[in-house]
Amino acid sequence: RQTLPLAKKKKSAEILLDYTKPSEPFEWASQLKKTMEKVWGIKSFRLCQEGVCNANMDGRDILCVMPTGGGKSLCYQLPALLSPGTTIIISPLLSLIADQVLNLREAGVECVMLTGTTSKQEQNEAFARMTTKPGPGGRGKEIKLCYVTPEKVAKSKRLISVMEQLATSGRLARIVIDEAHCCSALGHDFRPDYKRLSVLKSLFPKVPILAVTATLSQKVLPDLLKILKLPPLCDGRAANSRGTCAFSAPLYRKNLHYKVLPKATNAKVAIQEMADWIREHHPGESGIVYCLSKKDTEVVAQGLMEASQGSIKTGVYHADVADAAKERIHRDWKRGKLHCVCATIAFGLGIDKAETRYVVHASMSKSMDGYYQETGRAGRDGARSDCVLYYRHQDASRILSLTLGETDGQSKVHDMLRYAQDITTCRNKIFGKYFASSALLSSEKGDKSPENLDSPCGHCDNCCRSSDQKQTLDMTRAVWKALKVAEAVSRAGGRVTLSGLADVVRGLAGGTFPVVQPSKAQSSETRGAVDLEALCGGKLILSKERTETLLLDLVLNGYLQEDFHATAYAVNVYVQPGPKATRYTRLASGAVDEIAASLVYEFTFLATGKSAAQSSTRATAGVKRKSTAKKGTTGDSKKRVKG
Ligand code: ADP
Ligand code: MG
């Protein structure tokens, strides 16, 4: 885990004035409350709103991470009304901007938007208003909020020049960067124009920046600070601190119930199971089913209709659906005429239906960032909702090949796979660990969310899984065999997929495998073979399913690694020994039973029907361990070799 700019230990030595405390004598305190109630009808602050508003009024640079629907807009809209000058908000999506401007105008707030679709005349008028002194003799009321797209900032010299004029006259109140995670190519929603927002701090060093987002991973955080040229983070609460005030509300939403369900290998069966799940848990209710491709959305939508005999009314939403149809589907779904939208991630920002009872992923997302954002659309109303991921490890190579060209694509898929493969760790703790919020959370007191504490959430599938539904086995010898075989295959010029390697290790087809001969055409592929008996004392006795699950775990821990080969039609994903493989392969057979405790490879599988009854016994995949030299095990938690 990376060290973050805000060291955990470094709680601010002393907080003289606390932004988050309602009792502090900030001069603007009563005005904030009054205006909030008058303009928005809101009586009390939520999550980090009060702290952010105070730090905002105090002219600080701020980073604010709050869950979607948490109320990030108020954090800049309210202070904007009480500050002299204009606040510029950079927001990625036209529809979001239009929506906000409409709402603000209805509330009587002076605001404008400048986007690619704004007419010349409107734009001229807005610029003129911003560059002329308001008040008597001026051009009417001052514009308090000006929404712009990042493209506008990147392309419009005139906008920059207007901002410069505002800044010179001390009337550029603040620059807000909404959905700030879009700045970083390491995140899930990178937009190149956002990266160019780098110039803002250089052009306007004195103008405070507020960056807001709902998802910020450990990887993206330092990158974001660098791109926006923000000073290092400090405890957001402390008014006497220096640096960028960090505020973060817990990601944890207790009404969301996370679950990973096994996905059938047969596509038709998989869809039938999905339909059954929806009908059983959410009949007649609203939900979203996320699919990996446009084609998938159509297949799944059709399949759900058929499998439910028409009782689940589905719509399809992806980038190629005509705009009018998109709007109709969104509307029908909002009104309940459609129950379920089968969608790609195009059904995303701006989609907001409070009573979304379930978000099902027919295939996993390409990253944890994406997955969290997508599932976050469930249960905005606070009522119980389900977030279900249908997972089979066979999906891994498809997703990997899709993300091949993306920055860090492979490691993001691995993070997602770790989540999907994990059947023991509290889902909310996995999120907490993955996202930076847990590191920022030292800025929030009394936080009792699982991501920040050692206690699990108690209601995700892993928390609810009883001990007879899982089985922890000592897989050390299985791992040794698999890696020995992988090494032999690789040496012989073999090219095997994960499932192909599982077959070889399990002795299928006599331990033979395809060998690539670069000089020859694909059709003249030959086969090599390993002598399993001589190499590792015989084939591995373990089900195909479990073998593949274990091999994937080896990939995720660096014992195996992927090897990509593009053909004219597809990218094939093969596996070969990874950088850590020799830790096992250098061992002779006899040494495996005497292995150092740190190399004992325990793995927790889902108990199968048969084995469920005897789950407490520790089978050893065909081999008895002589040595019992093991580190102390803690309950049923998964013990793994790492590092
Ligand atoms: P975000 O940008 O964090 O996703 P929004 O700013 O769009 O969320 O706010 C979501 C909803 O919550 C809005 O309808 C807003 O009016 C409402 N809201 C914001 N703050 C509060 C509050 N303190 N109390 C009640 N409702 C609030
Ligand atoms: Mg928002």
Side-chain angles (χ1 to χ4, degrees):
R1 204 148 143 204
Q2 249 164 313
T3 352
L4 293 154
L6 174 69
K8 274 228 159 126
K9 289 159 265 142
K10 211 182 106 198
K11 298 227 174 81
S12 69
E14 199 183 353
I15 297 179
L16 299 176
L17 258 182
D18 188 334
Y19 287 134
T20 61
K21 271 204 189 132
S23 53
E24 301 284 26
F26 293 116
E27 59 201 82
W28 51 77
S30 71
Q31 266 302 317
L32 276 180
K33 286 240 160 187
K34 262 190 229 154
T35 311
M36 177 164 81
E37 187 160 2
K38 196 175 102 206
V39 178
W40 285 276
I42 293 175
K43 287 205 174 69
S44 54
F45 286 113
R46 242 173 19 191
L47 304 173
C48 346
Q49 282 176 336
E50 182 154 27
V52 178
C53 283
N54 281 325
N56 190 327
M57 293 304 294
D58 210 13
R60 303 290 301 266
D61 288 314
I62 304 166
L63 170 65
C64 164
V65 186
M66 271 212 273
T68 313
K72 292 185 284 295
S73 323
L74 191 79
C75 295
Y76 55 82
Q77 290 172 346
L78 175 57
L81 297 193
L82 299 178
S83 314
T86 303
T87 295
I88 305 274
I89 302 106
I90 298 156
S91 176
L93 221 66
L94 269 173
S95 60
L96 284 179
I97 293 180
D99 213 43
Q100 296 232 359
V101 170
L102 201 72
N103 287 335
L104 285 169
R105 284 191 179 148
E106 270 174 12
V109 174
E110 289 297 319
C111 63
V112 291
M113 59 181 189
L114 299 171
T115 70
T117 60
T118 313
S119 73
K120 264 257 142 22
Q121 194 200 334
E122 271 177 273
Q123 182 169 307
N124 288 340
E125 212 170 292
F127 282 149
R129 277 181 70 188
M130 282 196 268
T131 47
T132 329
K133 232 184 149 37
R139 281 169 164 261
K141 284 194 195 150
E142 184 171 53
I143 293 174
K144 299 314 295 179
L145 296 125
C146 171
Y147 282 84
V148 300
T149 51
E151 295 75 33
K152 202 82 189 164
V153 179
K155 293 195 186 99
S156 169
K157 289 212 178 76
R158 193 148 164 232
L159 173 62
I160 295 290
S161 135
V162 168
M163 285 171 74
E164 274 167 343
Q165 288 180 55
L166 279 172
T168 320
S169 59
R171 285 175 38 243
L172 183 51
R174 172 174 291 276
I175 299 170
V176 177
I177 296 159
D178 199 5
E179 311 288 349
H181 61 276
C182 297
C183 289
S184 168
L186 304 175
H188 64 293
D189 204 6
F190 174 56
R191 288 159 194 245
D193 281 321
Y194 257 81
K195 192 153 191 179
R196 292 155 74 174
L197 301 181
S198 255
V199 298
L200 293 173
K201 211 47 179 177
S202 320
L203 287 174
F204 312 108
K206 293 215 180 90
V207 177
I209 285 183
L210 164 61
V212 297
T213 174
T215 38
L216 194 61
S217 71
Q218 302 270 4
K219 285 177 194 156
V220 172
L221 171 61
D223 200 35
L224 177 70
L225 295 177
K226 203 169 98 202
I227 291 167
L228 293 181
K229 300 203 167 79
L230 286 169
L233 297 183
C234 66
D235 186 335
R237 288 175 291 161
N240 54 312
S241 60
R242 279 170 192 280
T244 303
C245 290
F247 290 94
S248 164
L251 286 172
Y252 174 57
R253 289 169 56 196
K254 64 176 183 296
N255 63 318
L256 298 190
H257 298 264
Y258 281 90
K259 197 185 262 249
V260 178
L261 289 175
K263 175 171 163 186
T265 322
N266 177 293
K268 230 184 150 125
V269 176
I271 292 175
Q272 179 69 53
E273 285 175 355
M274 241 178 269
D276 293 346
W277 184 89
I278 294 173
R279 280 216 293 184
E280 185 186 337
H281 295 94
H282 299 286
E285 295 182 323
S286 293
I288 307 173
V289 173
Y290 277 108
C291 305
L292 200 54
S293 69
K294 296 170 198 162
K295 174 113 193 297
D296 286 0
T297 61
E298 280 160 27
V299 173
V300 172
Q302 187 65 31
L304 287 180
M305 288 274 243
E306 283 166 17
S308 67
Q309 283 103 43
S311 75
I312 306 173
K313 302 217 167 3
T314 59
V316 166
Y317 193 109
H318 54 67
D320 290 351
V321 172
D323 285 348
K326 270 188 196 146
E327 265 169 44
R328 196 190 65 234
I329 287 157
H330 190 196
R331 201 175 50 235
D332 286 352
W333 178 69
K334 275 190 114 160
R335 289 186 186 150
K337 264 169 83 182
L338 282 177
H339 299 127
C340 170
V341 180
C342 296
T344 60
I345 51 170
F347 198 60
L349 285 176
I351 299 296
D352 188 7
K353 174 171 182 168
E355 321 76 63
T356 305
R357 289 282 74 85
Y358 59 92
V359 171
V360 167
H361 277 73
S363 300
M364 65 187 153
S365 312
K366 292 187 204 166
S367 68
M368 286 286 280
D369 310 58
Y371 184 68
Y372 188 77
Q373 188 104 338
E374 285 141 33
T375 53
R377 299 197 175 104
R380 293 274 177 82
D381 57 357
R384 197 206 139 92
S385 309
D386 287 302
C387 303
V388 174
L389 166 63
Y390 278 94
Y391 169 68
R392 57 165 193 230
H393 52 74
Q394 291 89 340
D395 286 347
S397 55
R398 183 164 168 228
I399 299 198
L400 275 168
S401 58
L402 284 176
T403 48
L404 208 53
E406 296 172 18
T407 319
D408 228 10
Q410 194 183 349
S411 97
K412 282 190 246 173
V413 174
H414 283 180
D415 286 331
M416 186 72 230
L417 282 168
R418 268 186 209 103
Y419 173 90
Q421 287 251 113
D422 196 328
I423 59 165
T424 58
T425 317
C426 168
R427 302 279 171 209
N428 287 290
K429 290 189 74 161
I430 303 179
F431 287 130
K433 215 169 156 180
Y434 181 80
F435 291 108
S437 79
S438 53
L440 296 178
L441 271 172
S442 52
S443 61
E444 195 164 297
K445 310 152 290 180
D447 172 45
K448 293 258 189 317
S449 66
E451 73 212 29
N452 201 33
L453 287 178
D454 279 340
S455 61
C457 77
H459 58 83
C460 67
D461 59 345
N462 287 348
C463 282
C464 296
R465 208 184 302 280
S466 64
S467 56
D468 59 356
Q469 289 170 314
K470 54 196 173 190
Q471 191 175 29
T472 302
L473 300 176
D474 181 343
M475 298 310 294
T476 314
R477 186 163 286 273
V479 165
W480 174 75
K481 276 189 190 211
L483 295 176
K484 282 297 240 192
V485 171
E487 194 183 60
V489 168
S490 181
R491 259 198 216 125
R495 199 175 270 177
V496 287
T497 59
L498 188 136
S499 146
L501 177 60
D503 288 348
V504 184
V505 181
R506 296 174 65 243
L508 267 69
T512 66
F513 51 85
V515 172
V516 200
Q517 296 194 307
S519 53
K520 295 191 182 150
Q522 202 97 34
S523 54
S524 64
E525 174 190 278
T526 58
R527 289 188 80 81
V530 279
D531 181 346
L532 290 166
E533 216 43 67
L535 182 72
C536 57
K539 63 185 178 189
L540 174 67
I541 316 246
L542 190 68
S543 73
K544 181 173 175 65
E545 178 62 31
R546 285 192 168 185
T547 306
E548 291 183 6
T549 304
L550 180 66
L551 292 184
L552 185 51
D553 196 60
L554 290 176
V555 173
L556 297 177
N557 288 312
Y559 294 98
L560 289 172
Q561 67 186 14
E562 284 125 349
D563 174 28
F564 298 93
H565 285 271
T567 68
Y569 310 101
V571 179
N572 294 324
V573 186
Y574 301 103
V575 289
Q576 53 182 224
K580 282 155 65 177
T582 53
R583 290 187 192 178
Y584 290 95
T585 53
R586 63 186 162 79
L587 299 173
S589 174
V592 178
D593 295 330
E594 314 291 343
I595 210 161
S598 64
L599 280 178
V600 170
Y601 207 106
E602 285 194 338
F603 190 80
T604 304
F605 294 102
L606 274 178
T608 49
K610 253 190 295 157
S611 56
Q614 36 150 316
S615 65
S616 54
T617 50
R618 289 225 165 123
T620 47
V623 184
K624 263 217 181 103
R625 169 167 303 284
K626 283 186 224 141
S627 148
T628 45
K630 254 183 242 170
K631 280 185 183 162
T633 32
T634 41
D636 55 12
S637 76
K638 189 180 335 194
K639 270 271 158 187
R640 281 186 180 176
V641 189
K642 286 253 169 70

